[in-house]
């Protein structure tokens, strides 16, 4: 493919991503992968170039651009070589029209930028929210010592190492043997806040694909009872193979029926030493990995997930034994999903107390700790820890 053809391909992919973002469709990563599979003529260098153009254009726009072409024009404003490829050549984009509008710059749609300000995220920290994230891994002590082809940079977490973005660790023998797992440092710190111990009963209430579940199992030394729950069958089904590869035998999976979770967990009411509620959220802390997520969020969606978070926190609290702990986590930078949630929880449960987790990174915010890409070089997280009466 010529450079101009790569540019036109990136514009076409951007149009698909914009449609999906406004209609609640597939993620940008999935759309890019599907496009490559349906365009077999694109070689590896072409695929890499198209992908980089697509996500660079997404990061260059704050509000939702009018089209993929408008998004790419925004990127081209700072890259004369890219602007020159709008030349009307075969398979390339049409020449620029006089006064043709480009996408608007910024960090996010204006209403969302205001929410960041209101939550104490200063504009000087905003550029870090859209930088490419590094690749973090967690060593799995249950499989023994790992021999890695590259040393990695030590993280604040007990078994964490950092590598440059794009490092193909999935191809390493250590990954295939279950000696390492890919996991952001912030996610590892959230698990550290749980303080899971061998022999305990621990519940991961929103386990998803099980990344945090595996970390909790390692902290428990593969001893005790670890219950992984989720309402999404497809996501939960990925946990079993991952646990087997990691050498974990203590996980019990429970598929929950939305709205009827309490009935399915009645046998565990008041029995858990610790419950992790890694609640669904806006994902404002994950823009480094999913930059188009800024365009999927709306005030109504934010209100919906905040209400769900409160319900899940109450559900988790009912499972904790006297003196046990509830750890509430969201991958969000917004107070509506963080400090405000912690305050509201304590108002609903006045006998409980907040004990801010003692972590080697993060800043106190409300009743918990907040991690940010700018200050902590992690994904954005809010982590609160509550102790039952």
């Amino acid at each position: 493919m010529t450079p101009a053809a790569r540019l036109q391909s990136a514009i076409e992919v951007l149009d698909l991503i914009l449609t999906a973002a406004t209609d609640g469709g597939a993620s940008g990563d999935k759309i890019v992968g599907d496009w490559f599979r349906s365009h077999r003529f694109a070689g590896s260098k072409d695929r890499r170039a198209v992908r980089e153009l697509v996500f660079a254009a997404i990061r260059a726009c704050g509000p939702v651009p009018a089209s993929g072409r408008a998004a790419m024009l925004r990127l081209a404003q700072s890259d004369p070589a890219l602007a020159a490829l709008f030349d009307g050549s075969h398979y390339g984009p049409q020449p620029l029209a006089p006064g043709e509008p480009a996408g608007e710059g910024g960090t996010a749609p204006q209403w969302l930028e205001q929410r960041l300000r209101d939550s104490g995220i200063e504009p000087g920290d905003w550029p870090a929210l859209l930088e490419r994230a590094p690749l973090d891994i967690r060593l799995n002590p249950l499989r023994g010592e790992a021999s890695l082809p590259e040393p990695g940079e030590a993280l604040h977490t007990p078994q964490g190492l950092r590598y440059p973005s794009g490092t193909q660790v999935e191809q390493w023998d250590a990954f295939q043997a279950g000696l390492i797992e890919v996991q952001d440092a912030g996610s590892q710190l959230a698990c550290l806040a749980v303080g899971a111990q061998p022999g305990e009963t621990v519940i991961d209430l929103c386990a998803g694909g099980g990344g945090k579940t595996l970390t909790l199992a390692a902290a428990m030394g593969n001893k005790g009872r670890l219950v992984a729950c989720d309402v999404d069958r497809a996501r939960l089904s990925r946990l079993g193979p991952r646990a087997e590869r990691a050498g974990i035998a203590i996980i019990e999976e429970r598929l929950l029926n939305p709205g009827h979770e309490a009935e399915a967990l009645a046998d565990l009411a008041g029995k858990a030493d610790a419950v992790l509620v890694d609640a669904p959220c806006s994902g404002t802390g994950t823009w480094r990995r999913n930059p188009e997520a800024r365009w999927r969020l709306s005030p109504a969606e934010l209100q919906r997930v905040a209400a769900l978070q409160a319900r899940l926190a109450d559900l988790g609290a009912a499972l904790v034994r006297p003196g046990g702990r509830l750890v509430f986590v969201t991958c969000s930078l917004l107070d509506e999903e963080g400090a405000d949630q912690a305050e509201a929880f304590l108002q609903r449960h006045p006998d409980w107390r907040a004990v801010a987790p003692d972590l080697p990174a993060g800043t106190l915010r409300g009743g918990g700790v907040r991690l940010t890409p700018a200050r902590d070089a992690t994904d954005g997280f809010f982590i609160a820890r509550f102790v039952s009466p």
Side-chain angles (χ1 to χ4, degrees):
M1 298 173 68
T2 66
R6 289 172 174 172
L7 180 60
Q8 179 59 32
S9 296
I11 291 172
E12 294 172 5
V13 174
L14 281 166
D15 282 328
L16 296 173
I17 290 175
L18 285 168
T19 299
T22 54
D23 295 346
S27 68
D29 272 333
K30 186 177 188 307
I31 289 171
V32 170
D34 289 345
W35 191 91
F36 289 149
R37 280 187 287 274
S38 63
H39 294 74
R40 298 287 185 179
F41 59 83
S44 60
K45 291 183 179 179
D46 297 324
R47 294 194 297 271
R48 186 179 306 110
V50 169
R51 181 182 180 84
E52 289 179 354
L53 283 169
V54 165
F55 284 100
I58 292 173
R59 289 182 169 92
C61 298
V64 182
S67 65
R69 181 178 171 92
M72 197 60 70
L73 288 176
R74 175 67 192 182
L75 184 63
Q77 287 179 343
S78 59
D79 188 343
L82 194 62
L85 297 178
F86 287 84
D87 57 6
S89 60
H90 193 48
Y91 296 121
Q94 291 300 308
L96 301 177
E100 184 174 357
E104 184 180 344
T107 300
Q110 291 183 358
W111 74 270
L112 195 45
E113 289 186 346
Q114 186 59 52
R115 297 295 179 97
L116 290 172
R117 289 189 185 92
D118 293 343
S119 299
I121 304 297
E122 301 296 334
D125 290 343
W126 293 359
L129 306 184
L130 293 173
E131 293 175 353
R132 291 188 66 181
L135 186 139
D136 297 341
I137 69 168
R138 177 183 59 82
L139 303 175
N140 177 18
L142 301 179
R143 285 296 196 194
E145 187 174 349
S147 176
L148 304 178
E150 301 175 34
E153 173 192 350
L155 297 175
H156 293 303
T157 57
Q159 286 91 31
L161 293 174
R162 172 162 292 171
Y163 293 89
S165 176
T167 304
Q168 300 297 310
V169 298
E170 291 88 351
Q171 299 178 6
W172 293 357
D173 290 343
F175 181 86
Q176 301 298 328
L179 290 162
I180 60 174
E181 294 286 343
V182 176
Q183 187 179 31
D184 177 71
S187 180
Q188 295 181 46
L189 288 168
C191 294
L192 193 63
V194 177
Q197 300 295 318
E200 288 190 324
T201 295
V202 179
I203 301 173
D204 187 352
L205 193 57
C206 309
K212 292 183 178 67
T213 312
L214 300 181
T215 307
L216 295 174
M220 296 168 69
N222 219 5
K223 298 176 181 178
R225 186 182 186 188
L226 179 54
V227 184
C229 312
D230 207 272
V231 297
D232 190 313
R233 183 184 299 273
R235 286 189 301 174
L236 194 60
S237 68
R238 295 195 288 270
L239 174 55
R242 295 182 68 185
E244 183 177 359
R245 182 173 63 84
I248 295 169
I250 63 170
I251 297 174
E252 172 191 331
E253 298 178 22
R254 291 201 188 186
L255 181 66
L256 305 180
N257 186 11
H260 300 277
E261 298 94 341
E263 294 95 316
L265 296 168
D267 62 308
L268 292 169
K271 295 182 179 179
D273 296 288
V275 174
L276 170 63
V277 179
D278 181 19
C281 68
S282 65
T284 52
T286 66
W287 290 349
R288 302 187 304 171
R289 306 174 193 280
N290 305 294
E292 85 278 5
R294 299 166 293 156
W295 303 338
R296 295 175 178 268
L297 191 59
S298 67
E301 175 62 11
L302 180 57
Q303 185 177 22
R304 185 193 71 82
V305 296
L308 176 60
Q309 290 159 13
R311 186 175 73 81
L312 291 172
D314 291 344
L315 175 64
L319 303 174
V320 178
R321 66 165 175 79
R325 54 206 185 273
L326 172 75
V327 176
F328 175 83
V329 176
T330 56
C331 50
S332 174
L333 298 169
L334 305 181
D335 280 346
E336 289 139 293
E337 304 175 281
D340 293 350
Q341 286 283 3
E343 180 181 357
F345 177 86
L346 291 174
Q347 290 176 351
R348 297 193 304 272
H349 303 272
D351 293 337
W352 289 63
R353 57 190 175 92
V355 179
D358 183 15
L359 299 176
T363 303
L364 291 176
R365 183 74 179 178
V369 170
R370 184 163 66 189
L371 303 169
T372 72
R375 305 299 175 90
D376 305 293
T378 68
D379 285 350
F381 280 92
F382 177 81
I383 307 168
R385 179 170 170 159
F386 306 102
V387 177
S388 170

